[in-house]
Amino acid sequence: MTAPPDRTPAEIQGGSCVDDADLLVIGGGVNGCGVARDAAGRGVKTLLVEQSDLGAATSSASTKLLHGGLRYLEQYDFRLVREALLERETLLRAMPHIAWPMRFVLPHHRALRPAWMLGLGLWLYDSLGGRGLPPSRRLRLREDAAGAPLKPVYTTAFEYSDGWVDDARLVALCARDAADRGARILTRTRLIQARRAEGGGWEATLEDVETGARSGLRARAVVNAGGPWAAEILGARLGQNSGARLRLVRGSHIVTRRLFEHDRAYIFQNGDGRVLFALPYEGDFTLLGTTDLDHQGDPSAARCTDEEVDYICAAASEYFATPVRSADVLWRFAGVRPLLDDGAGAAQAASRDYTLALEGPADAPLLTIWGGKITTFRKLAEAALEQLRPRLPGAGPAWTAQAPLPGGAFDAADLPAMAQALRARHGFLDAAWAQRLLRAYGTDAALLLDGAGHDRDALGQYFGAGLTEREALWMMRQEFARSADDILWRRSKLGLRLSAAEAAALADWCETRAAAAA
């Protein structure tokens, strides 16, 4: 096992001149990073630009699920559900450190769907997804621990399998894998414009959003993976028109202290046709969401409003015996999902499917990604490269289905033994610290701690909650983090644990390091 080469922000940005590329990918969300990873692994010279941090928008604001979408069955979207469920199995194998199976408890609400309908829907869900995870079953809540935090009126529930994923780490690890395979990842870099060039290919102008420095680039092909900004990029930046229409739907979530003791999740039916998830989160917390509201304006301005907090609290309190109140909220966040506008009346009914729109001549193709969901990102990226492959000479075949993400080359059953071995080598680690490192970095946790022995001070400055200077440097050098927010709220969720003073110390450290690198 060898460590990947260090990559400082200055080296990543590369000064005022950017080398030419076969493929320019616009957007550093899960789809863009997935495409860059797939392309780099096929031998395609790839460059990705992201105007902010990787996964800073939609891709770090999901409900963190690898799922087929149980409610999509009511929309008769069986193909999407089946594709997503099969991908769920593929991804659980590829990233056992950041994704794992989870059981979901669906209480039967007598005023809503009948029990036979829920049972039939879950049987179909099991059938579409194969038998990789345990099947659904019926629960008597008065005899099961899942009933303890619920109101006594709920006596019956159904339990089924789906998956959990750390969405922001998924994005960072895809970018890391792409870079290790030869791609260049430029964060805080905006595409100013790109136009088809005489003789083929594209000519693009890029801008460093922090310094204002501009650079030029020639690329054979372009992928527009701008997510909620895809339409704006297509028109204003690429000078193209499209008949596709995006529907921007805001999904908001809240985080509270842990509301129940077991490790299963809940899915609650709401009277308005939506569902609400209550998920175990980061050990000591519960994640509640999501909403589905049409969003107007800049996607980067999306915020979880007080009204949405009240809605989530009321929906959860319909089921939990102890009401959830706005005063219980420790953190709130929102993201804008870019959904294809299929004419659905309600936002929650809009399709979560994706479309890949390939246009232009063979010597200067443009592929725009419309829609999508986190569970199908790998399949989407593979399909995108298969469409582009005839126009990218030398591009190899599909490869990602059997390839683990960095740190993921192990079996999930080995995690307890890995934690024991890590603690034996580094006596300063307690059980929670060791588990967090393994859940974030998998087998790379050993590389991160290499040489520290039993001396915590060997890891440099200690910021609190198990975060050290060595780990912060790893996030910067291997995962493209630049700021304290990148570290505390995307590469980790340690922002929930650090005090204000500890977070400020980390921010000062990041700023000092950035100034020294300038």
Side-chain angles (χ1 to χ4, degrees):
M1 185 188 305
T2 58
D6 288 350
R7 292 185 291 271
T8 66
E11 291 168 338
I12 293 166
Q13 292 299 120
S16 62
C17 185
V18 174
D19 293 337
D20 291 349
D22 292 326
L23 182 65
L24 169 64
V25 180
I26 306 164
V30 70
N31 289 332
C33 290
V35 167
R37 175 190 182 228
D38 192 304
R42 294 173 188 245
V44 176
K45 189 175 182 181
T46 303
L47 185 143
L48 179 145
V49 295
E50 162 55 46
Q51 64 182 350
S52 183
D53 182 32
L54 298 174
T58 307
S59 294
S60 61
S62 78
T63 314
K64 329 296 181 193
L65 299 181
L66 292 178
H67 67 148
L70 185 60
R71 64 194 174 107
Y72 306 153
L73 292 177
E74 291 188 327
Q75 301 165 17
Y76 305 107
D77 208 340
F78 301 122
R79 185 207 57 77
L80 175 62
V81 173
R82 177 166 174 76
E83 179 180 292
L85 287 175
L86 294 177
E87 272 299 287
R88 179 191 68 186
E89 312 301 316
T90 298
L91 298 181
L92 288 173
R93 291 192 300 270
M95 51 186 86
H97 47 332
I98 64 167
W100 52 89
M102 185 175 284
R103 295 289 279 177
F104 287 74
V105 176
L106 171 58
H108 174 226
H109 192 305
R110 292 177 180 174
L112 300 175
R113 298 166 182 84
W116 67 264
M117 181 181 292
L118 297 179
L120 179 61
L122 288 170
W123 172 83
L124 180 57
Y125 200 65
D126 288 342
S127 301
L128 289 171
R131 297 297 178 183
L133 296 178
S136 57
R137 63 176 184 144
R138 191 164 180 152
L139 300 179
R140 293 186 176 92
L141 289 176
R142 290 174 181 168
E143 302 170 6
D144 191 284
L150 302 180
K151 292 178 177 178
V153 67
Y154 299 106
T155 60
T156 298
F158 295 86
E159 183 182 277
Y160 68 97
S161 296
D162 254 325
W164 162 274
V165 64
D166 187 327
D167 52 5
R169 288 207 58 76
L170 170 60
V171 177
L173 291 180
C174 282
R176 151 89 184 278
D177 202 15
D180 289 346
R181 297 175 189 276
R184 297 193 68 201
I185 310 296
L186 304 185
T187 62
R188 272 76 173 187
T189 301
R190 180 184 295 115
L191 174 75
I192 299 301
Q193 71 168 18
R195 296 292 184 267
R196 288 189 170 96
E198 291 185 15
W202 292 79
E203 292 180 344
T205 302
L206 310 178
E207 181 181 76
D208 184 315
V209 301
E210 294 178 338
T211 67
R214 292 193 173 186
S215 55
L217 167 76
R218 286 185 64 94
R220 183 184 298 271
V222 173
V223 170
N224 174 9
W229 289 272
E232 188 269 336
I233 290 169
L234 190 65
R237 313 283 176 169
L238 298 174
Q240 306 296 308
N241 295 314
S242 172
R245 294 177 56 197
L246 278 182
R247 183 172 185 173
L248 301 183
V249 175
R250 187 173 70 250
S252 292
H253 298 78
I254 63 174
V255 175
T256 70
R257 293 290 178 192
R258 190 170 181 172
L259 299 178
F260 45 90
E261 295 303 316
H262 56 81
D263 61 359
R264 287 172 285 178
Y266 292 96
I267 175 172
F268 299 142
Q269 304 172 82
N270 297 335
D272 60 6
R274 300 173 183 170
V275 296
L276 182 84
F277 290 98
L279 306 161
Y281 193 62
E282 297 294 317
D284 300 316
F285 307 95
T286 297
L287 175 67
L288 296 163
T290 180
T291 59
D292 283 295
L293 294 174
D294 286 310
H295 181 81
Q296 306 297 326
D298 185 355
S300 65
R303 300 290 183 271
C304 177
T305 65
D306 290 343
E307 291 76 17
E308 287 175 291
V309 169
D310 291 343
Y311 169 84
I312 294 171
C313 289
S317 298
E318 176 70 21
Y319 287 85
F320 286 123
T322 301
V324 181
R325 307 189 186 282
S326 58
D328 299 325
V329 176
L330 303 175
W331 181 39
R332 63 173 81 181
F333 62 89
V336 175
R337 296 186 285 269
L339 307 180
L340 278 171
D341 191 349
D342 57 2
Q348 67 265 27
S351 173
R352 268 57 174 174
D353 207 348
Y354 61 84
T355 293
L356 304 177
L358 180 63
E359 58 187 279
D363 62 356
L366 166 64
L367 187 145
T368 297
I369 298 169
W370 301 106
K373 54 183 288 183
I374 243 176
T375 310
T376 53
F377 90 94
R378 188 207 64 83
K379 195 73 173 177
L380 180 155
E382 184 177 81
L385 265 296
E386 286 301 298
Q387 286 198 33
L388 288 169
R389 188 179 174 192
R391 307 181 185 204
L392 294 171
W399 63 278
T400 58
Q402 305 301 322
L405 282 173
F410 67 94
D411 190 282
D414 295 333
L415 271 171
M418 291 167 64
Q420 185 176 7
L422 203 65
R423 294 186 66 194
R425 288 194 299 271
H426 307 287
F428 54 84
L429 294 177
D430 60 21
W433 192 354
Q435 178 172 300
R436 183 184 69 78
L437 291 176
L438 288 170
R439 280 301 189 190
Y441 307 104
T443 57
D444 281 345
L447 287 176
L448 191 156
L449 297 172
D450 187 41
H454 294 278
D455 180 12
R456 192 189 78 175
D457 292 340
L459 300 178
Q461 184 174 346
Y462 185 79
F463 298 105
L467 178 64
T468 64
E469 182 176 359
R470 174 85 66 89
E471 185 178 0
L473 285 171
W474 179 281
M475 295 183 196
M476 288 183 161
R477 291 170 171 169
Q478 315 304 335
E479 299 177 358
F480 309 96
R482 300 277 286 277
S483 72
D485 275 356
D486 298 351
I487 291 169
L488 294 179
W489 297 108
R490 284 182 284 277
R491 306 309 183 281
S492 77
K493 295 299 181 288
L494 291 174
L496 288 166
R497 300 184 184 278
L498 264 65
S499 68
E502 290 168 335
L506 175 65
D508 289 344
W509 179 86
C510 290
E511 291 172 7
T512 300
R513 181 172 172 78

